[in-house]
Amino acid sequence: MDKLVIEGGLPLHGDVRIAGSKNATLPLMAAAVIAPGQTVIQNVPRLVDIHTLGKVIAHLGVTVEHDDDKVVMDATATPSDTAPYDLVRKMRASFYMLGALLARLGHAKVSMPGGCAWGPRPVDIHLKGLKALGASVELEGGYVLADSRQMNGGRFVLDFPSVGATVNLLLAVSTLEKETILENVAREPEITNLIRMLNRMGARIEGANTSQLVILGSRDLKPLSFAVIPDRIEAGTYMAAVGRCGGDVMLRGADPEHLTMVLAKAAEAGIKFTVTTEGIRIQRENDLRSVDVETAVYPGFPTDMQAQWIALMTAAAGVSLVTDTIYTDRFTHVAELMRLGAEIKMKGHTAKVYGPTQLTGAPVMSTDLRASASLVIAALAAKGRTDILRVYHLDRGYERLEDKFERIGARIRREQE
Ligand code: EPZ
């Protein structure tokens, strides 16, 4: 296994190119399974999770080629309807095969996804929605057996605006030529990216970026070439790193529209950002102020930025309250940050972060993707050497992280553990 070795304490200066969004690419790859023919997805980040989903899709009989920042898929041949446990358990987003295979074949056998480092992560809303729209859904031996040939459209209100459930339901009804109305859907930019692609393929989906979608599918969806939006969480992560370490960095290609709340909170904390045609310039010149955040569904403060915000707030004068309302136990990074000298007290699903603290290097352990990102931010600011173990978590969601940080002045290298 690899580890990252970081000698912290330096400010960050220069340019970072923000890659395509991981959480947008995964649903787009699932949508490509629906249309017979060749689909090219562009601006794809070079990440383990993308390859993992590629393997699941290839297992179904769709050809998948990764070519630099493109994924070329050919779904001409009728795919198998079964997505097996040993592949689906590796990554939750593989569960999107359920919606894609129902749209393509009308039936599917997909393993229930596993949990993750911080909780069970159920899929009850996905299944309830399919049933409400007329599909038959059975659970057998850890698999979901679904048949959508009797689906007749209609209306379903999601109990919670779940990103995954919105993706799966959109995929499932994308070839249904009866009107479906979905209420209380997720409004993340990644969902809007998927809606745009499905509409370009021939579906008619109205209400993008709102809580209500009206969908008229088409049995004749066409393959296409389509580009992924930039990764707002990668951009937010680099913003937090510049905020914590000081410096002046251009986040090239970042879309400020997708980061409204994060940038508002950053400005409140004293971080200066300038939007240009090239992206977002981040500058930190003066001391930081502590700012409370509470995660919420989009357009609220993203749970995927919660860990990075805690790392940032260790530099802020005062006490900041960081509450995660989406995943109430997503705080495995707190114990590791405290090993670097952070002063944090947990109260329920709120972290009370005291600052400013001078962090000092130590060996720490990655536990999940965004927790690892917060450890990198803290290590870049800490005095001395930090070894971050098990960086395979980072490789799932951050493209060439050590190269990008090295280019803006960090002393960071990858070593065998
Ligand atoms: C997506 O996960 C993202 N993953 C996550 O990013 C992100 O943290 C999450 O959305 C929230 O924004 C991808 O896009 C691949 P949810 P997802 O369904 O779809 C509950 C990262 O770091 N829920 O919106 O699994 C659930 O337990 C990853 O890139 C149900 O109760 O998230 C959670 O509390 C980590 N029943 C909340 O909703 C369901 O059927 C949000 O889950 C579905 C969800």
Side-chain angles (χ1 to χ4, degrees), residues 4 15-16 238 399-410 412-414:
L4 286 180
D15 262 27
V16 168
Y238 282 94
E399 180 189 78
R400 301 198 313 265
L401 179 128
E402 64 271 24
D403 301 350
K404 291 188 176 183
F405 270 118
E406 199 172 27
R407 282 167 56 94
I408 54 178
I412 180 171
R413 65 179 187 277
R414 183 181 287 253

Side-chain angles (χ1 to χ4, degrees), residues 6-24:
I6 295 174
E7 299 284 345
L10 296 180
L12 303 171
H13 290 276
D15 262 27
V16 168
R17 187 193 162 281
I18 298 301
S21 159
K22 166 176 84 79
N23 292 350

Side-chain angles (χ1 to χ4, degrees), residues 22-23 92 121-125 162-164 304 326-327 370:
K22 166 176 84 79
N23 292 350
R92 178 180 175 75
R121 297 183 70 183
V123 288
D124 54 307
I125 303 172
S162 149
V163 170
D304 292 351
I326 306 290
Y327 295 112
R370 306 305 173 182

Side-chain angles (χ1 to χ4, degrees), residues 22-24 26-27 49 91-93 96 118 120-127 160-165 186 188 190 232-233 296-297 302-304 325-328 330 368-370:
K22 166 176 84 79
N23 292 350
L26 298 168
D49 275 9
M91 184 187 59
R92 178 180 175 75
Y96 294 159
W118 68 78
R121 297 183 70 183
V123 288
D124 54 307
I125 303 172
H126 303 232
L127 306 182
F160 179 86
S162 149
V163 170
E188 272 69 2
E190 294 76 33
R232 60 194 169 100
I233 303 300
V297 297
T303 174
D304 292 351
T325 65
I326 306 290
Y327 295 112
T328 52
R330 190 181 192 175
D368 68 79
L369 172 55
R370 306 305 173 182

